[in-house]
Amino acid sequence: DAIPGGESQMQEYPGLYNLIEHKTSAKEFYDSLPDRIRDQICQQADTIDSETSLKNMAQQFLEQEG
């Protein structure tokens, strides 16, 4: 059964490493990032629970670099 609000669409994965292990598109996105951005993301890996949160965090770090 679908959860009201479409929440069933967003599967959550506890942590970055779990996410990229189980979701190919997230791994491909992560692998495409510059090393320095991946390093910053790794430092906060346990706060990532979805591909969306991974992309948001990457965008934030890229914007900080200007």
Side-chain angles (χ1 to χ4, degrees), residues 1-32:
D1 292 337
I3 299 167
E7 292 167 56
S8 61
Q9 302 274 333
M10 277 278 283
Q11 186 161 0
E12 291 198 352
Y13 299 90
L16 170 66
Y17 304 109
N18 203 4
L19 172 66
I20 61 178
E21 186 178 328
H22 292 97
K23 196 159 170 79
T24 307
S25 56
K27 179 169 175 28
E28 288 170 354
F29 174 76
Y30 178 76
D31 288 345
S32 75

Side-chain angles (χ1 to χ4, degrees), residues 38-53:
R38 288 199 304 244
D39 289 345
Q40 289 177 290
I41 289 172
C42 284
Q43 290 170 19
Q44 298 184 41
D46 54 350
T47 67
I48 294 171
D49 60 6
S50 68
E51 190 170 359
T52 303
S53 62

